[in-house]
Amino acid sequence: MMQLKPRTLRLFNLIALSSGLIFLLSHVTLAQGESSDHAIAKFNWFQAVILGMVQGLTEFLPISSTAHLKVVPVALGWGDPGVAFTAVIQLGSIAAVLWYFWSDLSQITKGMIKAIRKSDYQSHDFRLGVGIALGTLPIVFCGLLMKLLIRDLDNSPLRSIGVIAGASIVMALLLALSEKISTHKRSFKELSWQDGLLMGLAQSLALIPGVSRSGSTITSGLFLNLERATAARFSFLLGIPAITLAGLVELKEVFDVGLSNDIIVPLIVGVISSAIFSYLAIAWLIRYLQKQDTWIFVWYRLGFGIFILGSMFFS
C-alpha cells in the first residue's frame, strides 16, 4: 500500500477538516434560512479554482490578497466575492502555511517549553516564539479598534479601489527603499523578539487593503537588515496567528448568510485550490529570495496601482 509523505498527509487532513467545516456551516446556515441581505456569492467550480488561485498566490507574495480578490473577479465580470466567500477559501491558505511550517512550529513550541523549564530565555526558539506572540498583538489590537470605530468596515472608504491603488503604490516605494538601504546580512539565527514586535507593528498596516501583510512584514524585515529569505520566512511564521485569527473572525460572517447546497462544491474546490497555490507560493518565494532581490514585486505593485488609477480615471 502506498505510504503518503508526512507533509502530504497533513495537507489532506487539513483540507478534510476545512471541507468538514464548510458542510457544518452549510447545515447551520440552511437551518437558519437565507435571511441575510448579503448572501454568499455564487460561483461555478472553474471560477472557484481561479479565485482560489488568486487567494493562494497573493496571500503570501508581497502584492496584497485583499486587493486582488476585489479587483480580479470584478475585472473578469464575476462581481465582488465578498467577505463570506473570501473567508471560506482562506481556510486553504491557513492549511498551506501550517502544512509548510509544521516542523518549524513544532520545533519552536518544543524549544520554548524546554527553555522555560531550564530558564534559558536566550535560546533561539524562545526568542522566536516570544517575537511571534508579541508581533501578533498589534494587528489584533488594531483590528478590534477598527471594528469598533468603523461601523460598516466592508463598505467604508478605507476599502475603496482608490485606497487600494494608493496603498499599492506607497508600499512599492517603501519596498524599493528597503531594498536599497538594507545590508541583507542578518540571518534567521540572529532574529530577536524585538524583530517580531517591529515586524508585527508593520503587519498591522495590512488591515488597509492594498498594503499586503507579507509585503509590509518583508519590507520591515529588510529595513531591519535581514536577509531576504529570512525576512520572508519569518514573515510567514509571524503571519500564522494573524491569518488564522482573521480567518476565524471573518468566518463568523458565514453564520449570518445563507449557504445553499449548490455552492458547497465550488467552495470546497476553492479551498483546495487556495491550499495548493498557497503552498506553491510560499515554497517559490523563499527559494526565489535566496538568490534574487524584490524588485520584481516593486515594479508589479507600481504597475498594479497605476493600472487601477488609470481604470478609475477613464471609466
Side-chain angles (χ1 to χ4, degrees):
M1 190 170 118
M2 183 179 68
Q3 295 292 323
L4 295 176
K5 293 181 179 180
R7 281 190 171 183
T8 305
L9 184 59
R10 283 198 297 269
L11 177 65
F12 285 150
N13 289 338
L14 287 166
I15 290 177
L17 180 62
S18 301
S19 301
L21 181 59
I22 293 172
F23 279 110
L24 175 63
L25 291 173
S26 70
H27 287 298
V28 172
T29 52
L30 280 172
Q32 293 175 340
E34 297 192 9
S35 58
S36 172
D37 292 331
H38 304 284
I40 193 167
K42 295 184 179 182
F43 297 98
N44 59 43
W45 68 267
F46 174 76
Q47 292 170 324
V49 169
I50 300 301
L51 292 175
M53 179 182 71
V54 172
Q55 161 64 26
L57 293 178
T58 59
E59 181 67 52
F60 298 105
L61 298 184
I63 55 177
S64 179
S65 61
T66 305
H68 284 76
L69 276 174
K70 190 174 182 68
V71 172
V72 172
V74 171
L76 293 174
W78 300 346
D80 189 345
V83 172
F85 190 93
T86 302
V88 174
I89 65 171
Q90 192 176 22
L91 290 171
S93 293
I94 296 170
V97 72
L98 290 173
W99 170 32
Y100 191 91
F101 288 107
W102 190 261
S103 59
D104 296 75
L105 293 171
S106 298
Q107 180 181 328
I108 291 170
T109 303
K110 292 175 183 176
M112 285 192 71
I113 295 173
K114 184 178 179 181
I116 292 171
R117 285 176 177 172
K118 295 185 175 182
S119 298
D120 180 16
Y121 303 120
Q122 297 303 314
S123 75
H124 182 246
D125 290 330
F126 184 82
R127 295 200 313 271
L128 277 181
V130 171
I132 291 171
L134 290 176
T136 303
L137 294 178
I139 196 169
V140 171
F141 174 78
C142 293
L144 291 173
L145 194 63
M146 287 178 66
K147 287 283 187 181
L148 292 172
L149 297 179
I150 304 176
R151 189 169 185 178
D152 188 6
L153 182 60
D154 293 327
N155 298 309
S156 70
L158 188 64
R159 297 179 65 86
S160 67
I161 295 296
V163 169
I164 289 174
S168 184
I169 293 172
V170 170
M171 289 306 299
L173 297 176
L174 287 175
L175 181 57
L177 180 60
S178 69
E179 184 67 56
K180 276 287 188 181
I181 70 175
S182 178
T183 62
H184 309 291
K185 289 183 177 180
R186 295 181 59 212
S187 68
F188 196 77
K189 290 292 183 182
E190 297 176 85
L191 284 167
S192 66
W193 66 265
Q194 291 95 332
D195 295 314
L197 180 57
L198 291 171
M199 291 176 70
L201 288 170
Q203 181 175 241
S204 64
L205 295 174
L207 292 168
I208 301 172
V211 167
S212 168
R213 192 207 59 79
S214 60
S216 61
T217 49
I218 291 173
T219 298
S220 63
L222 295 183
F223 276 122
L224 294 169
N225 295 318
L226 296 179
E227 297 170 337
R228 298 181 184 93
T230 294
R233 184 180 174 190
F234 189 60
S235 166
F236 298 147
L237 287 171
L238 179 63
I240 289 174
I243 297 169
T244 303
L245 288 172
L248 293 175
V249 169
E250 290 180 352
L251 276 173
K252 178 183 176 297
E253 300 292 331
V254 177
F255 285 98
D256 300 326
V257 301
L259 191 60
S260 56
N261 287 323
D262 61 336
I263 62 173
I264 293 177
V265 172
L267 281 175
I268 294 175
V269 170
V271 169
I272 295 172
S273 174
S274 173
I276 292 172
F277 284 102
S278 292
Y279 184 90
L280 293 175
I282 294 169
W284 176 82
L285 184 62
I286 290 178
R287 286 198 302 267
Y288 177 84
L289 292 180
Q290 288 172 348
K291 298 180 180 180
Q292 304 292 333
D293 55 38
T294 62
W295 283 101
I296 185 174
F297 304 112
V298 171
W299 297 120
Y300 178 87
R301 299 201 66 160
L302 275 175
F304 184 69
I306 293 171
F307 172 77
I308 295 175
L309 290 178
S311 299
M312 293 174 60
F313 182 78
F314 291 107
S315 61

PDB file of all heavy atoms in Angstrom, residues 226-253:
ATOM      1  N   LEU A 226      17.577  42.228   7.568  1.00  0.00           N
ATOM      2  CA  LEU A 226      17.504  40.777   7.456  1.00  0.00           C
ATOM      3  C   LEU A 226      17.816  40.336   6.029  1.00  0.00           C
ATOM      4  O   LEU A 226      17.600  41.093   5.074  1.00  0.00           O
ATOM      5  CB  LEU A 226      16.101  40.294   7.827  1.00  0.00           C
ATOM      6  CG  LEU A 226      15.633  40.519   9.263  1.00  0.00           C
ATOM      7  CD1 LEU A 226      14.208  40.001   9.430  1.00  0.00           C
ATOM      8  CD2 LEU A 226      16.555  39.840  10.266  1.00  0.00           C
ATOM      9  N   GLU A 227      18.319  39.119   5.898  1.00  0.00           N
ATOM     10  CA  GLU A 227      18.446  38.523   4.566  1.00  0.00           C
ATOM     11  C   GLU A 227      17.049  38.426   3.960  1.00  0.00           C
ATOM     12  O   GLU A 227      16.055  38.269   4.674  1.00  0.00           O
ATOM     13  CB  GLU A 227      19.057  37.126   4.667  1.00  0.00           C
ATOM     14  CG  GLU A 227      20.474  37.084   5.213  1.00  0.00           C
ATOM     15  CD  GLU A 227      20.925  35.672   5.518  1.00  0.00           C
ATOM     16  OE1 GLU A 227      20.051  34.800   5.738  1.00  0.00           O
ATOM     17  OE2 GLU A 227      22.149  35.443   5.560  1.00  0.00           O
ATOM     18  N   ARG A 228      16.972  38.493   2.657  1.00  0.00           N
ATOM     19  CA  ARG A 228      15.656  38.489   2.006  1.00  0.00           C
ATOM     20  C   ARG A 228      14.864  37.225   2.337  1.00  0.00           C
ATOM     21  O   ARG A 228      13.685  37.289   2.684  1.00  0.00           O
ATOM     22  CB  ARG A 228      15.825  38.633   0.492  1.00  0.00           C
ATOM     23  CG  ARG A 228      16.479  39.953   0.067  1.00  0.00           C
ATOM     24  CD  ARG A 228      16.594  40.029  -1.448  1.00  0.00           C
ATOM     25  NE  ARG A 228      17.296  41.234  -1.870  1.00  0.00           N
ATOM     26  CZ  ARG A 228      18.610  41.294  -2.100  1.00  0.00           C
ATOM     27  NH1 ARG A 228      19.363  40.206  -1.950  1.00  0.00           N
ATOM     28  NH2 ARG A 228      19.161  42.435  -2.480  1.00  0.00           N
ATOM     29  N   ALA A 229      15.504  36.061   2.217  1.00  0.00           N
ATOM     30  CA  ALA A 229      14.810  34.805   2.502  1.00  0.00           C
ATOM     31  C   ALA A 229      14.432  34.704   3.975  1.00  0.00           C
ATOM     32  O   ALA A 229      13.379  34.156   4.320  1.00  0.00           O
ATOM     33  CB  ALA A 229      15.681  33.618   2.099  1.00  0.00           C
ATOM     34  N   THR A 230      15.283  35.232   4.858  1.00  0.00           N
ATOM     35  CA  THR A 230      14.978  35.240   6.291  1.00  0.00           C
ATOM     36  C   THR A 230      13.770  36.123   6.577  1.00  0.00           C
ATOM     37  O   THR A 230      12.883  35.755   7.352  1.00  0.00           O
ATOM     38  CB  THR A 230      16.188  35.754   7.096  1.00  0.00           C
ATOM     39  OG1 THR A 230      17.253  34.807   6.972  1.00  0.00           O
ATOM     40  CG2 THR A 230      15.841  35.918   8.572  1.00  0.00           C
ATOM     41  N   ALA A 231      13.716  37.290   5.938  1.00  0.00           N
ATOM     42  CA  ALA A 231      12.572  38.190   6.110  1.00  0.00           C
ATOM     43  C   ALA A 231      11.285  37.505   5.663  1.00  0.00           C
ATOM     44  O   ALA A 231      10.243  37.618   6.328  1.00  0.00           O
ATOM     45  CB  ALA A 231      12.794  39.478   5.319  1.00  0.00           C
ATOM     46  N   ALA A 232      11.332  36.791   4.539  1.00  0.00           N
ATOM     47  CA  ALA A 232      10.143  36.096   4.035  1.00  0.00           C
ATOM     48  C   ALA A 232       9.738  34.957   4.958  1.00  0.00           C
ATOM     49  O   ALA A 232       8.564  34.798   5.296  1.00  0.00           O
ATOM     50  CB  ALA A 232      10.408  35.569   2.632  1.00  0.00           C
ATOM     51  N   ARG A 233      10.714  34.157   5.382  1.00  0.00           N
ATOM     52  CA  ARG A 233      10.415  33.011   6.251  1.00  0.00           C
ATOM     53  C   ARG A 233       9.794  33.460   7.569  1.00  0.00           C
ATOM     54  O   ARG A 233       8.784  32.909   8.013  1.00  0.00           O
ATOM     55  CB  ARG A 233      11.695  32.218   6.516  1.00  0.00           C
ATOM     56  CG  ARG A 233      11.488  30.941   7.335  1.00  0.00           C
ATOM     57  CD  ARG A 233      12.813  30.234   7.546  1.00  0.00           C
ATOM     58  NE  ARG A 233      12.688  29.093   8.433  1.00  0.00           N
ATOM     59  CZ  ARG A 233      13.712  28.428   8.934  1.00  0.00           C
ATOM     60  NH1 ARG A 233      14.954  28.793   8.624  1.00  0.00           N
ATOM     61  NH2 ARG A 233      13.520  27.405   9.752  1.00  0.00           N
ATOM     62  N   PHE A 234      10.386  34.483   8.194  1.00  0.00           N
ATOM     63  CA  PHE A 234       9.834  34.955   9.456  1.00  0.00           C
ATOM     64  C   PHE A 234       8.492  35.653   9.238  1.00  0.00           C
ATOM     65  O   PHE A 234       7.611  35.598  10.098  1.00  0.00           O
ATOM     66  CB  PHE A 234      10.809  35.905  10.145  1.00  0.00           C
ATOM     67  CG  PHE A 234      10.395  36.249  11.557  1.00  0.00           C
ATOM     68  CD1 PHE A 234      10.268  35.256  12.511  1.00  0.00           C
ATOM     69  CD2 PHE A 234      10.106  37.553  11.915  1.00  0.00           C
ATOM     70  CE1 PHE A 234       9.868  35.550  13.820  1.00  0.00           C
ATOM     71  CE2 PHE A 234       9.706  37.865  13.208  1.00  0.00           C
ATOM     72  CZ  PHE A 234       9.590  36.857  14.162  1.00  0.00           C
ATOM     73  N   SER A 235       8.324  36.296   8.097  1.00  0.00           N
ATOM     74  CA  SER A 235       7.044  36.912   7.757  1.00  0.00           C
ATOM     75  C   SER A 235       5.934  35.869   7.753  1.00  0.00           C
ATOM     76  O   SER A 235       4.833  36.107   8.275  1.00  0.00           O
ATOM     77  CB  SER A 235       7.135  37.576   6.384  1.00  0.00           C
ATOM     78  OG  SER A 235       5.845  37.898   5.886  1.00  0.00           O
ATOM     79  N   PHE A 236       6.204  34.702   7.178  1.00  0.00           N
ATOM     80  CA  PHE A 236       5.195  33.645   7.114  1.00  0.00           C
ATOM     81  C   PHE A 236       4.909  33.074   8.504  1.00  0.00           C
ATOM     82  O   PHE A 236       3.754  32.815   8.858  1.00  0.00           O
ATOM     83  CB  PHE A 236       5.641  32.542   6.162  1.00  0.00           C
ATOM     84  CG  PHE A 236       5.808  33.002   4.747  1.00  0.00           C
ATOM     85  CD1 PHE A 236       6.785  32.454   3.921  1.00  0.00           C
ATOM     86  CD2 PHE A 236       5.017  34.002   4.213  1.00  0.00           C
ATOM     87  CE1 PHE A 236       6.953  32.882   2.612  1.00  0.00           C
ATOM     88  CE2 PHE A 236       5.170  34.444   2.907  1.00  0.00           C
ATOM     89  CZ  PHE A 236       6.140  33.872   2.105  1.00  0.00           C
ATOM     90  N   LEU A 237       5.971  32.847   9.302  1.00  0.00           N
ATOM     91  CA  LEU A 237       5.770  32.342  10.662  1.00  0.00           C
ATOM     92  C   LEU A 237       4.982  33.344  11.498  1.00  0.00           C
ATOM     93  O   LEU A 237       4.063  32.966  12.236  1.00  0.00           O
ATOM     94  CB  LEU A 237       7.135  32.066  11.318  1.00  0.00           C
ATOM     95  CG  LEU A 237       7.899  30.842  10.807  1.00  0.00           C
ATOM     96  CD1 LEU A 237       9.307  30.818  11.383  1.00  0.00           C
ATOM     97  CD2 LEU A 237       7.160  29.554  11.171  1.00  0.00           C
ATOM     98  N   LEU A 238       5.337  34.613  11.375  1.00  0.00           N
ATOM     99  CA  LEU A 238       4.633  35.666  12.099  1.00  0.00           C
ATOM    100  C   LEU A 238       3.180  35.765  11.656  1.00  0.00           C
ATOM    101  O   LEU A 238       2.297  36.110  12.447  1.00  0.00           O
ATOM    102  CB  LEU A 238       5.344  37.004  11.864  1.00  0.00           C
ATOM    103  CG  LEU A 238       4.753  38.256  12.522  1.00  0.00           C
ATOM    104  CD1 LEU A 238       4.785  38.124  14.043  1.00  0.00           C
ATOM    105  CD2 LEU A 238       5.512  39.498  12.085  1.00  0.00           C
ATOM    106  N   GLY A 239       2.920  35.453  10.400  1.00  0.00           N
ATOM    107  CA  GLY A 239       1.570  35.588   9.859  1.00  0.00           C
ATOM    108  C   GLY A 239       0.629  34.465  10.233  1.00  0.00           C
ATOM    109  O   GLY A 239      -0.588  34.615  10.087  1.00  0.00           O
ATOM    110  N   ILE A 240       1.155  33.338  10.737  1.00  0.00           N
ATOM    111  CA  ILE A 240       0.291  32.193  11.033  1.00  0.00           C
ATOM    112  C   ILE A 240      -0.802  32.548  12.038  1.00  0.00           C
ATOM    113  O   ILE A 240      -1.995  32.311  11.767  1.00  0.00           O
ATOM    114  CB  ILE A 240       1.125  30.984  11.521  1.00  0.00           C
ATOM    115  CG1 ILE A 240       1.926  30.414  10.347  1.00  0.00           C
ATOM    116  CG2 ILE A 240       0.220  29.904  12.108  1.00  0.00           C
ATOM    117  CD1 ILE A 240       2.895  29.317  10.739  1.00  0.00           C
ATOM    118  N   PRO A 241      -0.481  33.134  13.209  1.00  0.00           N
ATOM    119  CA  PRO A 241      -1.576  33.506  14.126  1.00  0.00           C
ATOM    120  C   PRO A 241      -2.508  34.558  13.527  1.00  0.00           C
ATOM    121  O   PRO A 241      -3.730  34.470  13.687  1.00  0.00           O
ATOM    122  CB  PRO A 241      -0.832  34.073  15.353  1.00  0.00           C
ATOM    123  CG  PRO A 241       0.555  33.535  15.259  1.00  0.00           C
ATOM    124  CD  PRO A 241       0.844  33.426  13.797  1.00  0.00           C
ATOM    125  N   ALA A 242      -1.929  35.539  12.833  1.00  0.00           N
ATOM    126  CA  ALA A 242      -2.747  36.627  12.267  1.00  0.00           C
ATOM    127  C   ALA A 242      -3.713  36.109  11.209  1.00  0.00           C
ATOM    128  O   ALA A 242      -4.908  36.461  11.209  1.00  0.00           O
ATOM    129  CB  ALA A 242      -1.840  37.700  11.678  1.00  0.00           C
ATOM    130  N   ILE A 243      -3.207  35.279  10.294  1.00  0.00           N
ATOM    131  CA  ILE A 243      -4.058  34.744   9.231  1.00  0.00           C
ATOM    132  C   ILE A 243      -5.138  33.846   9.817  1.00  0.00           C
ATOM    133  O   ILE A 243      -6.311  33.903   9.418  1.00  0.00           O
ATOM    134  CB  ILE A 243      -3.216  33.966   8.201  1.00  0.00           C
ATOM    135  CG1 ILE A 243      -2.227  34.907   7.506  1.00  0.00           C
ATOM    136  CG2 ILE A 243      -4.110  33.299   7.161  1.00  0.00           C
ATOM    137  CD1 ILE A 243      -1.192  34.177   6.669  1.00  0.00           C
ATOM    138  N   THR A 244      -4.758  33.009  10.787  1.00  0.00           N
ATOM    139  CA  THR A 244      -5.715  32.093  11.399  1.00  0.00           C
ATOM    140  C   THR A 244      -6.800  32.855  12.147  1.00  0.00           C
ATOM    141  O   THR A 244      -8.000  32.574  11.996  1.00  0.00           O
ATOM    142  CB  THR A 244      -4.996  31.138  12.368  1.00  0.00           C
ATOM    143  OG1 THR A 244      -3.961  30.435  11.658  1.00  0.00           O
ATOM    144  CG2 THR A 244      -5.974  30.134  12.955  1.00  0.00           C
ATOM    145  N   LEU A 245      -6.397  33.849  12.950  1.00  0.00           N
ATOM    146  CA  LEU A 245      -7.378  34.649  13.694  1.00  0.00           C
ATOM    147  C   LEU A 245      -8.309  35.406  12.752  1.00  0.00           C
ATOM    148  O   LEU A 245      -9.519  35.453  12.967  1.00  0.00           O
ATOM    149  CB  LEU A 245      -6.657  35.623  14.627  1.00  0.00           C
ATOM    150  CG  LEU A 245      -5.984  35.012  15.856  1.00  0.00           C
ATOM    151  CD1 LEU A 245      -5.141  36.053  16.575  1.00  0.00           C
ATOM    152  CD2 LEU A 245      -7.024  34.423  16.805  1.00  0.00           C
ATOM    153  N   ALA A 246      -7.711  36.002  11.682  1.00  0.00           N
ATOM    154  CA  ALA A 246      -8.525  36.749  10.720  1.00  0.00           C
ATOM    155  C   ALA A 246      -9.524  35.831  10.033  1.00  0.00           C
ATOM    156  O   ALA A 246     -10.699  36.196   9.842  1.00  0.00           O
ATOM    157  CB  ALA A 246      -7.629  37.415   9.685  1.00  0.00           C
ATOM    158  N   GLY A 247      -9.077  34.627   9.674  1.00  0.00           N
ATOM    159  CA  GLY A 247      -9.976  33.677   9.028  1.00  0.00           C
ATOM    160  C   GLY A 247     -11.120  33.267   9.935  1.00  0.00           C
ATOM    161  O   GLY A 247     -12.283  33.193   9.506  1.00  0.00           O
ATOM    162  N   LEU A 248     -10.822  33.034  11.218  1.00  0.00           N
ATOM    163  CA  LEU A 248     -11.865  32.630  12.161  1.00  0.00           C
ATOM    164  C   LEU A 248     -12.861  33.759  12.409  1.00  0.00           C
ATOM    165  O   LEU A 248     -14.075  33.529  12.498  1.00  0.00           O
ATOM    166  CB  LEU A 248     -11.223  32.192  13.481  1.00  0.00           C
ATOM    167  CG  LEU A 248     -10.394  30.908  13.424  1.00  0.00           C
ATOM    168  CD1 LEU A 248      -9.725  30.650  14.761  1.00  0.00           C
ATOM    169  CD2 LEU A 248     -11.259  29.714  13.019  1.00  0.00           C
ATOM    170  N   VAL A 249     -12.337  34.991  12.512  1.00  0.00           N
ATOM    171  CA  VAL A 249     -13.221  36.149  12.728  1.00  0.00           C
ATOM    172  C   VAL A 249     -14.130  36.354  11.525  1.00  0.00           C
ATOM    173  O   VAL A 249     -15.340  36.574  11.667  1.00  0.00           O
ATOM    174  CB  VAL A 249     -12.392  37.418  13.002  1.00  0.00           C
ATOM    175  CG1 VAL A 249     -13.281  38.664  12.958  1.00  0.00           C
ATOM    176  CG2 VAL A 249     -11.706  37.322  14.359  1.00  0.00           C
ATOM    177  N   GLU A 250     -13.546  36.277  10.327  1.00  0.00           N
ATOM    178  CA  GLU A 250     -14.350  36.500   9.122  1.00  0.00           C
ATOM    179  C   GLU A 250     -15.342  35.368   8.877  1.00  0.00           C
ATOM    180  O   GLU A 250     -16.406  35.580   8.294  1.00  0.00           O
ATOM    181  CB  GLU A 250     -13.433  36.667   7.914  1.00  0.00           C
ATOM    182  CG  GLU A 250     -12.637  37.975   7.940  1.00  0.00           C
ATOM    183  CD  GLU A 250     -11.738  38.139   6.734  1.00  0.00           C
ATOM    184  OE1 GLU A 250     -11.614  37.172   5.954  1.00  0.00           O
ATOM    185  OE2 GLU A 250     -11.168  39.226   6.587  1.00  0.00           O
ATOM    186  N   LEU A 251     -15.000  34.159   9.340  1.00  0.00           N
ATOM    187  CA  LEU A 251     -15.922  33.050   9.168  1.00  0.00           C
ATOM    188  C   LEU A 251     -17.225  33.261   9.934  1.00  0.00           C
ATOM    189  O   LEU A 251     -18.251  32.657   9.625  1.00  0.00           O
ATOM    190  CB  LEU A 251     -15.269  31.741   9.620  1.00  0.00           C
ATOM    191  CG  LEU A 251     -14.395  31.048   8.580  1.00  0.00           C
ATOM    192  CD1 LEU A 251     -13.675  29.871   9.201  1.00  0.00           C
ATOM    193  CD2 LEU A 251     -15.229  30.591   7.396  1.00  0.00           C
ATOM    194  N   LYS A 252     -17.187  34.132  10.933  1.00  0.00           N
ATOM    195  CA  LYS A 252     -18.411  34.460  11.661  1.00  0.00           C
ATOM    196  C   LYS A 252     -19.460  35.019  10.705  1.00  0.00           C
ATOM    197  O   LYS A 252     -20.667  34.817  10.898  1.00  0.00           O
ATOM    198  CB  LYS A 252     -18.107  35.476  12.760  1.00  0.00           C
ATOM    199  CG  LYS A 252     -19.334  35.915  13.553  1.00  0.00           C
ATOM    200  CD  LYS A 252     -18.967  36.954  14.570  1.00  0.00           C
ATOM    201  CE  LYS A 252     -20.215  37.462  15.305  1.00  0.00           C
ATOM    202  NZ  LYS A 252     -21.160  38.136  14.402  1.00  0.00           N
ATOM    203  N   GLU A 253     -18.966  35.721   9.648  1.00  0.00           N
ATOM    204  CA  GLU A 253     -19.895  36.285   8.667  1.00  0.00           C
ATOM    205  C   GLU A 253     -20.698  35.188   7.970  1.00  0.00           C
ATOM    206  O   GLU A 253     -21.827  35.418   7.535  1.00  0.00           O
ATOM    207  CB  GLU A 253     -19.121  37.097   7.619  1.00  0.00           C
ATOM    208  CG  GLU A 253     -18.332  38.272   8.183  1.00  0.00           C
ATOM    209  CD  GLU A 253     -19.234  39.355   8.719  1.00  0.00           C
ATOM    210  OE1 GLU A 253     -20.361  39.477   8.194  1.00  0.00           O
ATOM    211  OE2 GLU A 253     -18.825  40.060   9.654  1.00  0.00           O
TER     212      GLU A 253
END
